[in-house]
Amino acid sequence: MSKQFWMRNETLVALVIILFCLFATASDPRFFSATTLSDLLRASIVLGIFAIGAMLVLVSGGIDVSFTAIAVFAMYVSTVLTLGTIPDLPWYLIFTLSIVIGAALGALNGLLIARFGLPTLIVTLGTLSVFRGFLLTFVGSERISSLPPGMRDFSRSMIARGTTEAGNFYALPLALAALVFVVVLTWFILQKTTLGRCIFAIGGSVESARRVGINVRAIQFFVYMYAGALAGLAGIIHGSMGRMADPFSLVGLELSVIAAVVLGGARLTGGYGTVSGTLLGVALIVLVQNSLIVVGIPSTWQSVAIGLLILIGTGLPAWQAKRAAERAA
Amino acid sequence: MPDDATERTSSPFVRLHNVIKHYGGVVALDGVDVTIQPGEAVCLAGENGSGKSTLIKILAGVEQATGGEVHIGGVRHTTLDPRVSAAAGVMVIYQDFSLFPNLSVAENIAFSRELTDGEKFASQRRNKQLARKVLERIGVDISVSERVENLSVAHKQLVAICRALASNARLIIMDEPTTALTEREVRSLLGIIRKLKDDGIAVLFVSHKLAEVLEVCETVFVLRNGKLVADGPASEFDAASLTRHMTGRDVPDSPPSTAQAVQNLLLEVSELHKQGAFENVSFSLREGEVLGISGLLGSGRTSLAKALFGLVKADSGTMKMEDNSIALGDPLAATQAGIGYVPEDRLTEGLFLTQSIVRNVSVGRLDSHTSKGFLNLQSLTGEAADWLKRLTVKAPDIHADVKSLSGGNQQRVALARWMARAPKLLILNGPSVGVDVGSKADIHDIIRELSQQGIGIIVISDDLPEILSVCHRILIMKNGQLTDEIASGTIDETELTHRLAS
Ligand SMILES: Nc1ncnc2c1ncn2[C@@H]1O[C@H](COP(=O)(O)OP(=O)(O)OP(=O)(O)O)[C@@H](O)[C@H]1O
Ligand SMILES: [Mg+2]
């Protein structure tokens, strides 16, 4: 296998995942089962959709930390709206509503960034607080546990469920299909469309992009709107699957998501990132968050473990790249 | 303009009339008229900061003119953006290349073409095909799937050239396309320009290497301080008259340097070896000596220069400064031993573009202007301003950002930074890359002056007249080995070219 293959983040992260699973199975054979797998997959859905959006933003050379606030905002507002108007709205229309609200908030980020050229971190830090504050002050701060029936229907819809021969129960929710859809769509946009290549281009060099005639503002606007739409989707899925619209949830998850994306090989300086890497990063973070206990590490060590993974997972390739550059010079 | 076909074909491809450009208070262009016929090779000459790049940016739609008229292909454009300009057939190779470091060679080459063709979907296969075709056309062998960030400066420049060739251009503008190229690559580029002309593609060429300019161009436009001071057929100009128009004064050919008295030994390098880059390199340098190292691209000269400064770690060998050995591969140790290094790629490595000019110069001098923990800002700034003046950096204000300077003036800022550090040994990789003729002579004078003060200097350059005029001794490098040592004054340019190529 080529040297480059071994130097990629994806390879490293995949190796760590495999090692982790081997250890976990060795310490507790029950770990390796359909039940665990379906639990982990369930836990990956919301994080995964967030991560795909965050990756897209990193590739374009920016950073978005407001997506969790957008998600809660979109989820809570669409729940309240549905309950207050047509409670019987089918789930896909409630979802559409949430996605549209998310896209609109994302577009606001995009407008501030593309139109006024403000730094992305500052804008999204600001909108994170504004969206959240607005939600809690003007919309409501109560947890709603009697969700519209549409959302409950969604959470009960399964792609597959059953019991394995070994007697392990498993269930793959419909929400997993949403993640798959998002993954395929984003991969297609990034790799197969000129729009996607322009996103990489502006992440590589904004000035060069402008000079070859890329409409940088339009691309940025799209990126933040798309990330907002994904946040809206992730939010409503989170609400439905948790059977509760909680305006205090999700916010605070930003850093785990960005950690997953960075572990998967996206660079904070822009221009680099892949869908496959991002999914691996998410898988690793979810494993650490849910299964550290299986290998005998107390769960209080979770954040330490995640921190170490980021240091090693991003430091090692950087160090290798530096050595390679020295050798080549 | 009437939509009359006959009128169109007989009209020039580009016509600029009374174009004016202001950057805040700076007048970069002051009523310039330029016309370019289809298939014509035109040269734009001028000192650093005279407005050449600005004129190009206006044609490319990157900057909007403050006043005047821009006609391309017989159509007047009141607002031009890069897309419109590219669609009209204007392609630019920028001074800083403007490539995407994170994308492959193939994608970089194909990008403009994809955009002007209005492709909605990307295809790496199509990109690679196009890239291979263009690379073949200019006879260069670069892997199309390599990321541009991993390429050498010369290869980056070639990729930028290929990108322009890949589009259906009717005018290709080259803003100093040869700064990073060696003699042989420049030859092939000039060959390409001739071929383009035969295909009816016009070329606008900016270069400080006047010999090149006169060789390929039919028409010359000379700018000075944003004004057109001369224009006409190239046959009416020679290097001397061109220089006179550009600078408004005569610049004498610098005399070849003569061997000087024997001084103390400064640097001793023995058996320096680096797998795949250079082998068995041994030489010594005396105080006040100017040593030239020349060689073709890939000869290992840049690796050697970097190894001397510790940026690249040699596998074996020893280096001694004033009889003290220096650790290999340690830039800090090299700096402490008194070695300074000015890199080849000064526009993209080494400058803080969004910091002020003064800060860029004084960044290495903070220690020397600090007493009892306090920084003496006045003396620091004074010293930097002094160096900027010595290197005649043309800037409205020394506190302006470096990025607002013209390309050649940015080069000088990088030079000033290293000269200000007053090293004992200064390694200059391409000391006058991108600098106009007038100031090239100034830089050479400064090199001589530093040498008289006892500073040892290593000049790495392909500019043979430059090497011959400032160096006491010339080493020739081939395939990683020093193959020849020549005392200056014993050889002329043709002979040196011959020895380099043989
Ligand atoms: N963005 C900017 N802001 C302010 N001044 C600028 C800017 N860009 C260029 N200038 C000024 O305009 C003048 C012309 O610059 P230009 O880059 O056109 O010179 P040039 O002829 O290309 O020189 P060189 O040979 O050094 O590349 C210079 O005085 C420069 O300082
Ligand atoms: Mg210029």
Side-chain angles (χ1 to χ4, degrees):
Chain A
M1 210 86 59
S2 78
K3 207 170 195 165
Q4 261 174 355
F5 175 82
W6 290 107
M7 273 176 56
R8 286 172 57 175
N9 274 61
E10 276 105 319
T11 318
L12 281 173
V13 174
L15 279 178
V16 175
I17 292 177
I18 293 171
L19 274 180
F20 188 97
C21 292
L22 286 179
F23 264 116
T25 314
S27 11
D28 182 354
R30 273 171 307 169
F31 175 81
F32 194 74
S33 68
T35 314
T36 322
L37 189 67
S38 77
D39 283 352
L40 288 175
L41 275 176
R42 276 178 80 97
S44 306
I45 294 169
V46 170
L47 204 65
I49 296 176
F50 276 147
I52 294 286
M55 184 267 293
L56 201 75
V57 176
L58 282 189
V59 168
S60 79
I63 189 165
D64 182 357
V65 293
S66 70
F67 55 87
T68 49
I70 294 181
V72 190
F73 192 103
M75 175 264 287
Y76 196 78
V77 170
S78 39
T79 309
V80 171
L81 271 181
T82 307
L83 286 174
T85 53
I86 320 165
D88 289 333
L89 212 59
W91 67 265
Y92 48 88
L93 288 183
I94 306 177
F95 272 47
T96 310
L97 182 62
S98 182
I99 292 172
V100 168
I101 295 174
L105 298 184
L108 191 66
N109 279 335
L111 195 71
L112 291 170
I113 288 160
R115 183 83 193 92
F116 302 107
L118 300 176
T120 57
L121 180 62
I122 293 175
V123 167
T124 54
L125 265 177
T127 52
L128 169 76
S129 301
V130 171
F131 293 156
R132 185 150 198 258
F134 190 89
L135 176 70
L136 296 177
T137 320
F138 296 106
V139 185
S141 55
E142 262 154 50
R143 295 184 172 82
I144 303 173
S145 50
S146 54
L147 295 181
M151 286 168 75
R152 267 181 281 147
D153 290 346
F154 176 83
S155 68
R156 278 195 228 103
S157 312
M158 297 290 154
I159 310 170
R161 88 158 88 208
T163 315
T164 57
E165 281 165 29
N168 292 316
F169 174 75
Y170 68 91
L172 296 181
L174 188 56
L176 194 62
L179 175 63
V180 173
F181 175 73
V182 165
V183 163
V184 173
L185 178 68
T186 310
W187 174 83
F188 183 80
I189 292 177
L190 275 180
Q191 299 301 329
K192 295 289 165 193
T193 68
T194 305
L195 170 67
R197 303 321 289 171
C198 287
I199 297 176
F200 276 97
I202 66 172
S205 164
V206 175
E207 191 53 38
S208 303
R210 207 166 275 136
R211 287 181 183 177
V212 297
I214 294 174
N215 188 342
V216 175
R217 283 179 179 177
I219 305 275
Q220 279 180 328
F221 188 75
F222 169 80
V223 164
Y224 289 93
M225 197 168 86
Y226 188 79
L230 291 192
L233 175 65
I236 198 76
I237 290 179
H238 174 81
S240 307
M241 289 179 52
R243 315 261 169 118
M244 163 129 62
D246 177 0
F248 294 97
S249 63
L250 289 176
V251 174
L253 208 64
E254 308 83 53
L255 292 185
S256 300
V257 171
I258 292 172
V261 177
V262 170
L263 267 178
R267 295 195 201 161
L268 291 172
T269 44
Y272 296 84
T274 59
V275 170
S276 54
T278 303
L279 289 180
L280 284 170
V282 169
L284 187 53
I285 294 276
V286 167
L287 262 180
V288 169
Q289 283 179 342
N290 293 281
S291 309
L292 213 50
I293 195 89
V294 184
V295 288
I297 303 172
S299 52
T300 41
W301 280 84
Q302 237 186 57
S303 54
V304 177
I306 291 178
L308 284 177
L309 279 175
I310 291 178
L311 283 176
I312 298 169
T314 59
L316 203 60
W319 180 70
Q320 280 173 329
K322 193 174 150 236
R323 280 217 348 217
E326 273 173 13
R327 253 181 272 122
Chain B
M1 168 134 301
D3 247 352
D4 178 353
T6 50
E7 170 132 14
R8 277 218 168 165
T9 46
S10 64
S11 66
F13 179 62
V14 165
R15 194 161 72 83
L16 299 183
H17 178 60
N18 197 23
V19 166
I20 297 169
K21 175 70 190 176
H22 293 188
Y23 286 109
V26 181
V27 183
L29 288 177
D30 191 5
V32 173
D33 289 293
V34 167
T35 52
I36 303 171
Q37 304 296 334
E40 189 184 26
V42 174
C43 162
L44 191 58
E47 291 192 286
N48 294 136
S50 57
K52 303 182 297 295
S53 297
T54 306
L55 190 135
I56 288 168
K57 285 178 192 156
I58 286 173
L59 260 180
V62 174
E63 299 279 359
Q64 298 295 323
T66 316
E69 293 172 21
V70 179
H71 301 259
I72 299 175
V75 181
R76 177 165 179 199
H77 293 274
T78 41
T79 52
L80 200 57
D81 71 47
R83 203 186 280 251
V84 173
S85 171
V90 177
M91 289 302 307
V92 185
I93 301 161
Y94 289 95
Q95 211 164 355
D96 60 4
F97 312 149
S98 291
L99 296 172
F100 302 108
N102 57 330
L103 300 182
S104 69
V105 168
E107 237 184 324
N108 267 282
I109 291 177
F111 221 113
S112 306
R113 173 70 176 270
E114 297 275 296
L115 287 177
T116 42
D117 284 359
E119 295 286 355
K120 289 272 177 293
F121 296 102
S123 154
Q124 298 301 346
R125 201 168 47 85
R126 196 172 57 219
N127 290 347
K128 283 183 184 163
Q129 269 171 4
L130 179 65
R132 284 209 191 89
K133 220 172 67 197
V134 184
L135 284 165
E136 217 164 86
R137 184 162 155 205
I138 67 167
V140 178
D141 188 26
I142 306 176
S143 156
V144 293
S145 40
E146 186 63 74
R147 276 204 175 127
V148 161
E149 64 181 347
N150 299 330
L151 299 183
S152 68
V153 187
H155 279 171
K156 283 182 192 155
Q157 198 155 37
L158 289 168
V159 170
I161 293 169
C162 288
R163 177 167 72 186
L165 295 178
S167 309
N168 298 315
R170 295 192 54 205
L171 167 65
I172 294 184
I173 302 177
M174 305 188 181
D175 197 352
E176 302 193 38
T178 59
T179 46
L181 303 185
T182 55
E183 192 63 27
R184 203 181 45 189
E185 291 156 321
V186 172
R187 290 277 132 227
S188 72
L189 179 66
L190 297 185
I192 296 164
I193 294 181
R194 288 201 193 86
K195 245 187 271 170
L196 290 175
K197 259 164 49 178
D198 295 342
D199 297 346
I201 300 171
V203 179
L204 175 64
F205 195 77
V206 174
S207 173
H208 292 296
K209 299 181 182 170
L210 298 178
E212 285 172 10
V213 166
L214 292 171
E215 194 176 318
V216 290
C217 295
E218 296 145 321
T219 315
V220 176
F221 291 91
V222 184
L223 290 177
R224 185 160 82 222
N225 289 330
K227 287 201 179 73
L228 195 66
V229 291
D231 65 294
S235 53
E236 288 174 10
F237 293 88
D238 59 19
S241 67
L242 212 49
T243 308
R244 200 161 47 243
H245 285 302
M246 281 163 58
T247 59
R249 65 184 163 112
D250 276 312
V251 178
D253 269 351
S254 37
S257 67
T258 45
Q260 32 65 266
V262 181
Q263 299 257 6
N264 300 330
L265 202 59
L266 179 68
L267 173 76
E268 209 179 347
V269 176
S270 63
E271 305 274 303
L272 212 57
H273 182 88
K274 164 115 188 129
Q275 182 76 39
F278 50 80
E279 43 195 277
N280 272 335
V281 172
S282 305
F283 66 89
S284 60
L285 181 80
R286 300 183 172 278
E287 284 176 8
E289 189 179 24
V290 184
L291 177 71
I293 300 180
S294 194
L296 298 176
L297 193 76
S299 61
R301 59 206 161 103
T302 291
S303 305
L304 177 62
K306 285 187 175 169
L308 293 178
F309 188 60
L311 289 172
V312 161
K313 191 167 193 272
D315 302 327
S316 62
T318 56
M319 259 178 75
K320 279 189 196 162
M321 269 292 273
E322 300 175 310
D323 261 350
N324 301 318
S325 59
I326 316 173
L328 298 176
D330 184 354
L332 192 64
T335 313
Q336 277 162 356
I339 303 179
Y341 175 68
V342 181
E344 180 182 29
D345 188 8
R346 300 195 278 271
L347 288 188
T348 50
E349 278 170 21
L351 281 176
F352 303 108
L353 289 178
T354 52
Q355 293 278 342
S356 78
I357 300 167
V358 159
R359 282 196 188 166
N360 266 282
V361 175
S362 58
V363 63
R365 297 287 296 156
L366 298 178
D367 283 350
S368 321
H369 293 269
T370 304
S371 71
K372 301 193 188 80
F374 288 98
L375 186 64
N376 186 341
L377 207 56
Q378 210 172 357
S379 72
L380 186 74
T381 308
E383 184 190 66
D386 220 43
W387 274 105
L388 291 168
K389 208 152 72 205
R390 279 181 78 180
L391 286 164
T392 57
V393 173
K394 189 185 159 197
D397 176 5
I398 57 171
H399 296 288
D401 283 359
V402 162
K403 78 167 186 261
S404 73
L405 290 179
S406 79
N409 282 302
Q410 292 182 5
Q411 300 275 23
R412 293 173 207 213
V413 170
L415 272 176
R417 177 197 293 170
W418 285 99
M419 293 187 166
R421 283 193 174 184
K424 291 179 192 153
L425 167 64
L426 191 60
I427 304 169
L428 299 169
N429 199 351
S432 61
V433 169
V435 166
D436 64 54
V437 269
S439 8
K440 201 157 148 181
D442 294 344
I443 289 176
H444 293 170
D445 284 342
I446 292 173
I447 292 178
R448 291 196 195 93
E449 203 182 308
L450 293 175
S451 132
Q452 258 147 36
Q453 291 165 13
I455 297 174
I457 296 170
I458 298 178
V459 174
I460 294 154
S461 172
D462 331 292
D463 187 333
L464 302 184
E466 168 170 286
I467 288 253
L468 285 168
S469 95
V470 297
C471 299
H472 298 116
R473 205 152 47 98
I474 300 158
L475 299 176
I476 290 181
M477 203 160 178
K478 236 173 261 171
N479 298 326
Q481 285 177 318
L482 294 180
T483 55
D484 216 345
E485 177 174 335
I486 302 160
S488 92
T490 64
I491 194 171
D492 67 1
E493 200 184 326
T494 21
E495 173 68 17
L496 185 56
T497 316
H498 184 69
R499 290 224 208 162
L500 267 176
S502 68

